[in-house]
Amino acid sequence: MPKLRDAYGNSKSSGYTIDFFELTAPGAKFAMLASPFFSTYDPIERLTRRGCEVKLIVRLCSVTTPAVIAKALADPLVTLRYFTSREFHAKLYIVDDQALVGSANLTAAGLMSNREISIVVRKDRDAAFDELPGLFELYWEKAGAMNGEILAAYQTAFRHIGNPREEAEFEQHLTKFVGKVDPPSAMAGSEVMSRRRSFLEQLHRKYDEQVIPAFQEVRDIMSESGLRRAEFAGGDIEIELNRFLGWTRLIHAPGDAWKESALADRIERRERTLSYLRNWVEVGDTKAGDMYYAEEELGNIARLRDGLSSIQAIQSMDYDQIFDTLCGCHAFYDMLRFVSGGLSGLKADFARRNTLSEIQDTVIYLIHGDGLMLERAYDCIFDEKWKLGRFGENCVMELVGWMTPDRPPVNGRTLKALRFIGHHIAQ
């Protein structure tokens, strides 16, 4: 079997850059990869098919293809971030205690045929290795979190511009679709990020890098195991999954018990999830706290999705109708805890805080507005023009999930349940 070289030059005598990934992949636990050009998934796949988790930074440019970005997004072991600026030029590949530093990009030519030079740096012999993870993290913290919406915008930009002659032309065109994301530089003040961008990145990282993968992992386990309750089995699995997570929080992790559960790897999380799913399908009564029975739950979500399905439908609602519809969101219904007088008290309180037109305008903007969904969600959480009283982050993000196919319905209970199962979820 070939041994890892000290340098690679993409020739038979000097070895090929792709060999570094093949030789470091067996037994690898974690990789940090940075490359401005990204057009082949081969090196990533060599790592993830052996169970290695990967943090990947790339540049959105005329060389980096939407197709390979889509592959990275679909891989549960990959977390992907990006820059749009030509200033991002680093090629750094760290796999556990070994790193490759040089000129080769993650392209077929860069890994096999271009005249590249890259050297291997090892933790057990090279003092310089200790500096590399910190340098990677410097880029990681400033990079943008990738999601399906940004990918769709990138695909649109790709189709519109075709094959530009100059990278500057592509970069200028691209920022009209996905915005501008610059790497840190040596210039004083370059680390400053606008308050809006900072909060948006926090939302992207929380939901796109933590919550959605965790939700998908539990959904896959529920689907593959067949551990579903009969009263939910014929419907949308996300309705039962949301209900299961809410029930897990109330029954297995009351109070602050969710905080005390240790974080777990994928194998341990799977075992925990299966254990709670078995309990879920075996228990006689799943109604806990203020949760509904299945028939009511299915009806509430159907009413929510039908009632808010179009701008015209929302505009036609009176206050009672839109209030009753929004009560399909558990996070909003849970506001009963903060008012007196039960449901009628919440209805009166919500009306005192928001006019009917304000509620309609915000819901229309959130669900049917232009631009990226998370940017609209940010506005509805933080912007005085759009935010509603008694309808905070958990309400907004749960409503987004019920109304958006590629986003799960999550609220405070589901987040705490996912953390209790062992996922890292920022609260």
Coordinates of all heavy atoms in Angstrom, one line a residue, residues 232 236 239 242-243 287 290-309 317 320-334 336 343 398-399 401-403 409:
F232 N -50.9 8.5 13.1 CA -50.2 9.5 12.3 C -49.6 8.9 11.0 O -49.2 9.6 10.1 CB -49.0 10.0 13.1 CG -49.3 11.0 14.2 CD1 -49.4 10.6 15.5 CD2 -49.6 12.3 13.9 CE1 -49.7 11.4 16.5 CE2 -49.9 13.2 14.9 CZ -50.0 12.8 16.2
D236 N -48.3 13.3 6.9 CA -47.0 14.0 6.8 C -46.1 13.6 8.0 O -46.5 13.8 9.2 CB -47.2 15.5 6.8 CG -45.9 16.3 6.6 OD1 -44.8 15.6 6.7 OD2 -45.9 17.5 6.4
I239 N -45.3 16.0 10.8 CA -46.3 16.3 11.9 C -46.1 15.4 13.1 O -46.1 15.8 14.2 CB -47.8 16.2 11.3 CG1 -48.0 17.2 10.2 CG2 -48.8 16.3 12.5 CD1 -49.4 17.1 9.6
N242 N -42.7 16.2 14.8 CA -42.8 17.4 15.6 C -43.5 17.1 16.9 O -43.1 17.5 18.0 CB -43.5 18.5 14.9 CG -43.5 19.8 15.7 OD1 -44.4 20.1 16.5 ND2 -42.6 20.7 15.4
R243 N -44.5 16.3 16.8 CA -45.3 15.8 18.0 C -44.4 14.9 18.9 O -44.5 15.0 20.1 CB -46.5 15.1 17.5 CG -47.4 14.6 18.6 CD -48.0 15.8 19.5 NE -48.9 15.3 20.5 CZ -50.2 15.0 20.3 NH1 -50.7 15.1 19.1 NH2 -50.9 14.5 21.3
K287 N -51.1 12.4 24.7 CA -51.5 13.8 25.0 C -50.8 14.2 26.3 O -50.9 13.6 27.4 CB -53.0 14.0 25.2 CG -53.4 15.4 25.4 CD -54.9 15.5 25.5 CE -55.4 17.0 25.4 NZ -54.8 17.8 26.5
D290 N -50.1 20.7 27.1 CA -51.1 21.4 26.3 C -51.2 20.8 24.8 O -51.7 21.4 23.9 CB -50.9 22.9 26.2 CG -49.5 23.2 25.7 OD1 -48.8 22.3 25.2 OD2 -49.2 24.4 25.7
M291 N -50.6 19.6 24.6 CA -50.6 19.1 23.2 C -52.0 18.4 22.9 O -52.7 18.1 23.8 CB -49.5 18.0 23.1 CG -48.1 18.6 23.3 SD -46.8 17.7 22.5 CE -47.0 16.1 23.2
Y292 N -52.2 18.3 21.6 CA -53.5 17.8 21.1 C -53.4 16.3 20.8 O -52.3 15.8 20.7 CB -53.9 18.5 19.8 CG -54.0 20.0 19.9 CD1 -53.0 20.8 19.4 CD2 -55.1 20.6 20.4 CE1 -53.2 22.2 19.4 CE2 -55.3 22.0 20.5 CZ -54.3 22.8 20.0 OH -54.4 24.1 20.1
Y293 N -54.6 15.7 20.7 CA -54.6 14.3 20.2 C -54.4 14.4 18.6 O -54.5 15.5 18.0 CB -56.0 13.7 20.4 CG -56.2 13.3 21.9 CD1 -57.1 13.9 22.7 CD2 -55.4 12.3 22.4 CE1 -57.2 13.6 24.0 CE2 -55.6 11.9 23.8 CZ -56.5 12.6 24.6 OH -56.6 12.2 25.9
A294 N -54.0 13.3 18.1 CA -53.6 13.2 16.7 C -54.6 13.8 15.7 O -54.2 14.6 14.8 CB -53.3 11.8 16.3
E295 N -55.9 13.5 15.9 CA -56.9 14.0 14.9 C -56.9 15.5 15.0 O -57.0 16.2 13.9 CB -58.3 13.4 15.3 CG -59.4 13.8 14.3 CD -60.7 13.2 14.7 OE1 -60.7 12.3 15.5 OE2 -61.7 13.6 14.1
E296 N -56.9 16.1 16.2 CA -56.9 17.6 16.3 C -55.6 18.2 15.7 O -55.6 19.2 15.0 CB -57.0 18.0 17.7 CG -58.3 17.6 18.4 CD -58.2 17.9 19.9 OE1 -57.7 17.0 20.6 OE2 -58.6 19.0 20.3
E297 N -54.5 17.5 15.9 CA -53.2 18.0 15.4 C -53.2 18.0 13.9 O -52.8 19.0 13.3 CB -52.1 17.1 16.0 CG -50.7 17.5 15.5 CD -50.1 18.6 16.4 OE1 -50.8 19.1 17.3 OE2 -48.9 19.0 16.2
L298 N -53.6 16.9 13.3 CA -53.6 16.9 11.8 C -54.5 18.0 11.3 O -54.2 18.6 10.3 CB -54.1 15.5 11.4 CG -53.1 14.3 11.7 CD1 -53.8 13.0 11.4 CD2 -51.8 14.5 10.9
G299 N -55.7 18.2 11.9 CA -56.6 19.2 11.5 C -56.1 20.6 11.6 O -56.2 21.5 10.8
N300 N -55.4 20.9 12.7 CA -54.8 22.2 13.0 C -53.7 22.5 11.9 O -53.7 23.7 11.4 CB -54.1 22.2 14.4 CG -55.1 22.3 15.5 OD1 -56.3 22.7 15.3 ND2 -54.7 21.9 16.7
I301 N -52.9 21.6 11.6 CA -51.8 21.8 10.6 C -52.4 22.0 9.2 O -52.0 22.8 8.4 CB -50.8 20.7 10.6 CG1 -50.1 20.6 12.0 CG2 -49.7 21.0 9.5 CD1 -49.6 21.9 12.6
A302 N -53.4 21.2 8.9 CA -54.1 21.3 7.6 C -54.8 22.7 7.5 O -54.7 23.4 6.4 CB -55.2 20.3 7.4
R303 N -55.4 23.2 8.5 CA -56.0 24.5 8.5 C -54.9 25.6 8.4 O -55.1 26.6 7.7 CB -56.8 24.7 9.8 CG -57.6 26.0 9.8 CD -58.6 26.1 11.0 NE -57.9 26.2 12.3 CZ -57.9 25.3 13.2 NH1 -58.6 24.1 12.9 NH2 -57.3 25.4 14.3
L304 N -53.8 25.4 9.1 CA -52.7 26.4 9.0 C -52.2 26.5 7.6 O -52.1 27.6 7.0 CB -51.6 25.9 9.9 CG -50.4 26.9 10.1 CD1 -50.8 28.1 11.0 CD2 -49.2 26.1 10.8
R305 N -51.9 25.3 7.0 CA -51.4 25.3 5.6 C -52.3 25.8 4.6 O -52.0 26.5 3.6 CB -50.9 23.9 5.3 CG -49.6 23.5 6.0 CD -49.2 22.1 5.8 NE -47.9 21.8 6.3 CZ -47.4 20.6 6.4 NH1 -48.1 19.5 6.2 NH2 -46.1 20.4 6.8
D306 N -53.6 25.5 4.7 CA -54.6 25.9 3.8 C -54.9 27.4 3.9 O -55.0 28.2 3.0 CB -55.9 25.1 3.9 CG -55.8 23.7 3.5 OD1 -54.8 23.4 2.8 OD2 -56.6 22.9 3.9
G307 N -55.1 27.8 5.2 CA -55.4 29.2 5.5 C -54.4 30.2 5.1 O -54.7 31.4 4.7
L308 N -53.1 29.8 5.1 CA -52.0 30.8 4.8 C -51.3 30.5 3.5 O -50.2 31.0 3.2 CB -51.0 30.7 6.0 CG -51.5 30.9 7.4 CD1 -50.3 30.9 8.4 CD2 -52.3 32.2 7.5
S309 N -52.0 29.7 2.7 CA -51.4 29.3 1.4 C -51.2 30.3 0.3 O -50.5 30.2 -0.6 CB -52.2 28.1 0.8 OG -53.5 28.5 0.5
M317 N -59.0 37.0 5.7 CA -59.3 36.5 7.1 C -59.7 37.7 8.0 O -59.1 38.8 7.9 CB -58.1 35.8 7.7 CG -57.8 34.4 7.2 SD -56.4 33.7 8.0 CE -56.5 32.0 7.4
D320 N -60.5 36.8 14.2 CA -60.7 35.5 14.8 C -60.2 34.4 14.0 O -59.6 33.4 14.5 CB -62.2 35.3 15.0 CG -62.8 36.2 16.2 OD1 -62.0 36.7 16.9 OD2 -64.0 36.3 16.3
Q321 N -60.3 34.5 12.7 CA -59.9 33.4 11.8 C -58.4 33.3 11.8 O -57.8 32.2 11.8 CB -60.4 33.7 10.4 CG -61.9 33.5 10.2 CD -62.4 34.0 8.8 OE1 -61.9 35.0 8.3 NE2 -63.3 33.3 8.3
I322 N -57.7 34.5 11.7 CA -56.2 34.4 11.6 C -55.6 34.0 13.0 O -54.6 33.2 13.0 CB -55.6 35.7 11.1 CG1 -54.2 35.5 10.6 CG2 -55.6 36.8 12.2 CD1 -53.6 36.6 9.7
F323 N -56.3 34.4 14.1 CA -55.8 34.0 15.4 C -56.0 32.5 15.5 O -55.0 31.8 16.0 CB -56.6 34.7 16.5 CG -56.2 34.2 17.9 CD1 -55.1 34.7 18.5 CD2 -57.0 33.2 18.5 CE1 -54.8 34.2 19.8 CE2 -56.7 32.8 19.8 CZ -55.6 33.3 20.4
D324 N -57.1 31.9 15.2 CA -57.4 30.5 15.3 C -56.4 29.7 14.4 O -55.9 28.6 14.8 CB -58.8 30.2 14.9 CG -59.8 30.7 15.9 OD1 -59.4 31.0 17.1 OD2 -61.0 30.8 15.6
T325 N -56.1 30.2 13.3 CA -55.2 29.6 12.4 C -53.8 29.5 12.9 O -53.1 28.5 12.9 CB -55.2 30.3 11.0 OG1 -56.5 30.2 10.4 CG2 -54.2 29.6 10.0
L326 N -53.3 30.6 13.5 CA -51.9 30.7 14.0 C -51.8 29.8 15.3 O -50.7 29.4 15.6 CB -51.6 32.1 14.4 CG -51.3 33.1 13.2 CD1 -51.1 34.5 13.6 CD2 -50.2 32.6 12.3
C327 N -52.9 29.5 15.9 CA -52.8 28.6 17.1 C -52.4 27.2 16.7 O -52.1 26.4 17.6 CB -54.2 28.6 17.8 SG -54.5 30.0 18.9
G328 N -52.4 26.9 15.4 CA -51.8 25.6 15.0 C -50.4 25.5 15.2 O -49.8 24.4 15.3
C329 N -49.7 26.6 15.4 CA -48.3 26.6 15.8 C -48.2 26.4 17.4 O -48.7 27.2 18.1 CB -47.6 28.0 15.5 SG -47.2 28.2 13.8
H330 N -47.5 25.3 17.8 CA -47.5 25.1 19.2 C -46.8 26.2 20.0 O -47.1 26.5 21.1 CB -46.7 23.8 19.4 CG -47.5 22.5 19.2 ND1 -48.5 22.1 20.1 CD2 -47.6 21.7 18.2 CE1 -49.1 21.0 19.7 NE2 -48.6 20.7 18.5
A331 N -45.7 26.8 19.3 CA -45.0 27.9 20.0 C -45.9 29.1 20.3 O -45.8 29.7 21.4 CB -43.9 28.4 19.1
F332 N -46.9 29.4 19.4 CA -47.8 30.4 19.7 C -48.9 30.0 20.7 O -49.2 30.8 21.6 CB -48.5 30.8 18.4 CG -49.5 32.0 18.5 CD1 -49.1 33.2 19.0 CD2 -50.8 31.9 18.1 CE1 -49.9 34.3 19.2 CE2 -51.7 32.9 18.3 CZ -51.3 34.1 18.8
Y333 N -49.4 28.8 20.6 CA -50.4 28.3 21.5 C -49.8 28.2 22.9 O -50.4 28.4 23.9 CB -50.8 26.9 21.1 CG -52.0 26.4 21.8 CD1 -53.3 26.8 21.5 CD2 -51.9 25.4 22.8 CE1 -54.4 26.3 22.2 CE2 -53.0 24.9 23.5 CZ -54.2 25.4 23.2 OH -55.3 24.9 23.9
D334 N -48.5 28.0 23.0 CA -47.7 27.9 24.3 C -47.7 29.3 25.0 O -47.4 29.3 26.2 CB -46.3 27.4 24.0 CG -45.6 26.9 25.3 OD1 -46.3 26.3 26.1 OD2 -44.4 27.2 25.5
L336 N -50.0 30.8 26.0 CA -51.0 30.7 27.1 C -50.3 30.7 28.5 O -51.0 31.2 29.4 CB -51.8 29.4 27.0 CG -52.9 29.3 25.9 CD1 -53.3 27.9 25.7 CD2 -54.0 30.2 26.1
L343 N -57.5 30.7 26.5 CA -57.4 31.0 25.1 C -58.0 32.4 24.8 O -57.4 33.1 24.0 CB -58.0 29.9 24.3 CG -57.7 29.9 22.8 CD1 -56.2 29.8 22.6 CD2 -58.5 28.8 22.1
E398 N -41.3 28.1 13.7 CA -42.2 27.0 13.5 C -43.2 27.2 12.4 O -43.4 26.3 11.5 CB -43.0 26.8 14.8 CG -43.9 25.5 14.7 CD -44.8 25.3 15.9 OE1 -44.5 25.9 17.0 OE2 -45.7 24.4 15.8
L399 N -43.7 28.5 12.2 CA -44.6 28.8 11.1 C -43.8 28.6 9.8 O -44.4 28.1 8.8 CB -45.1 30.2 11.3 CG -46.0 30.7 10.2 CD1 -47.3 29.8 10.1 CD2 -46.5 32.2 10.5
G401 N -41.5 26.6 9.1 CA -41.4 25.1 8.9 C -42.6 24.5 8.4 O -42.6 23.7 7.5
W402 N -43.8 24.9 8.9 CA -45.0 24.3 8.4 C -45.4 24.8 7.0 O -46.0 24.1 6.3 CB -46.2 24.7 9.4 CG -46.2 24.0 10.7 CD1 -46.2 24.7 11.9 CD2 -46.1 22.6 11.0 NE1 -46.2 23.7 12.9 CE2 -46.1 22.5 12.4 CE3 -46.0 21.5 10.2 CZ2 -46.0 21.2 13.0 CZ3 -45.9 20.3 10.8 CH2 -46.0 20.1 12.2
M403 N -44.9 25.9 6.6 CA -45.2 26.5 5.3 C -44.2 26.4 4.3 O -44.4 26.8 3.1 CB -45.6 28.0 5.5 CG -46.7 28.3 6.5 SD -48.3 27.4 6.1 CE -48.7 28.1 4.5
P409 N -40.6 22.2 10.9 CA -41.2 23.1 11.9 C -40.6 22.9 13.3 O -40.7 21.8 13.9 CB -42.7 22.6 11.9 CG -42.5 21.1 11.5 CD -41.3 21.1 10.6

